[in-house]
Amino acid sequence: MIRLNVTQRALLAAGSAVGALANPLRGDLVATLGETTGTAALTHMHDKMMMNKTGLEILKEKPRVTKHTVDTEYLSNLPSNTFGHHYYQFMTSNGLSAQRAQTKFVEDEELAYVMTRYRENHDFLHTLTGLGVTVPEEICLKWYEMVQTELPMCALSASSVQYLLPSLRKGFSCLIKYLGV
């Protein structure tokens, strides 16, 4: 964990926001933006988890979704109509790993775990929604995450659609499909 003062946090948030808007595929910048702007949302998510039996269990046990805990061979052999098999197909067809970047800029250990859990579950949402990993599809997923998590990074990502090149705008059919926009 890296401690930041208010000025450092603001500069890092602004720089990562500009960088992520310029290149939405820079996951490191998106992650930094989420960590430097998400304290209130992470606190809210943590509080919601504390009020729920399953949430409490998750916070107590702190399960992880990593390349060490996901048995890809097992998932690949599940019936084709299962979530696990679909998750395996999504991950392998997109060349993805369950490994996520370490949370660096969230000072509270409990909130850092909530951020880690959010990141590790991101690809589950791709699997559930059927959204791929193109920039328009990632931004569509950020709309969903914005409503669910209230993370400012998701709101910034979701609202960035208006700044994209016109050639990319046509890829946002997922907004119509999922949001009725």
Side-chain angles (χ1 to χ4, degrees):
M1 192 264 308
I2 301 170
R3 293 192 183 277
L4 301 172
N5 64 37
V6 173
T7 304
Q8 291 169 324
R9 185 169 295 280
L11 289 171
L12 195 54
S16 60
V18 170
L21 284 173
N23 184 355
L25 299 176
R26 289 281 310 269
D28 59 326
L29 295 176
V30 174
T32 298
L33 179 61
E35 292 179 30
T36 55
T37 62
T39 302
L42 292 170
T43 300
H44 181 68
M45 284 189 276
H46 183 269
D47 291 349
K48 284 176 127 176
M49 292 174 79
M50 293 290 290
M51 292 187 282
N52 178 283
K53 181 181 174 185
T54 303
L56 278 169
E57 187 176 327
I58 290 169
L59 289 172
K60 179 182 175 190
E61 295 180 15
K62 293 186 174 34
R64 299 288 310 275
V65 180
T66 69
K67 65 182 180 182
H68 304 292
T69 62
V70 174
D71 184 346
T72 55
E73 184 176 338
Y74 174 78
L75 295 177
S76 71
N77 290 312
L78 288 172
S80 62
N81 64 342
T82 62
F83 176 81
H85 188 79
H86 283 276
Y87 173 72
Y88 167 79
Q89 287 183 316
F90 171 79
M91 297 298 280
T92 56
S93 67
N94 289 291
L96 301 174
S97 165
Q99 200 63 38
R100 293 289 172 258
Q102 181 180 353
T103 301
K104 295 187 279 192
F105 302 110
V106 178
E107 294 181 17
D108 181 276
E109 188 176 315
E110 284 289 304
L111 298 184
Y113 174 74
V114 173
M115 176 58 83
T116 298
R117 178 113 180 130
Y118 156 75
R119 283 190 191 147
E120 290 176 352
N121 286 289
H122 176 82
D123 291 324
F124 292 161
L125 296 178
H126 277 286
T127 303
L128 287 170
T129 62
L131 291 169
V133 295
T134 65
V135 171
E137 289 170 307
E138 287 287 358
I139 291 175
C140 287
L141 195 55
K142 289 298 178 212
W143 277 93
Y144 176 85
E145 291 177 338
M146 176 184 67
V147 171
Q148 296 299 314
T149 68
E150 300 176 12
L151 283 166
M153 171 266 304
C154 295
L156 178 64
S157 298
S159 64
S160 70
V161 66
Q162 65 185 327
Y163 301 107
L164 291 175
L165 298 171
S167 63
L168 282 179
R169 288 186 187 158
K170 65 183 175 195
F172 283 90
S173 60
C174 56
L175 286 177
I176 295 166
K177 181 177 177 183
Y178 290 102
L179 302 174
V181 175

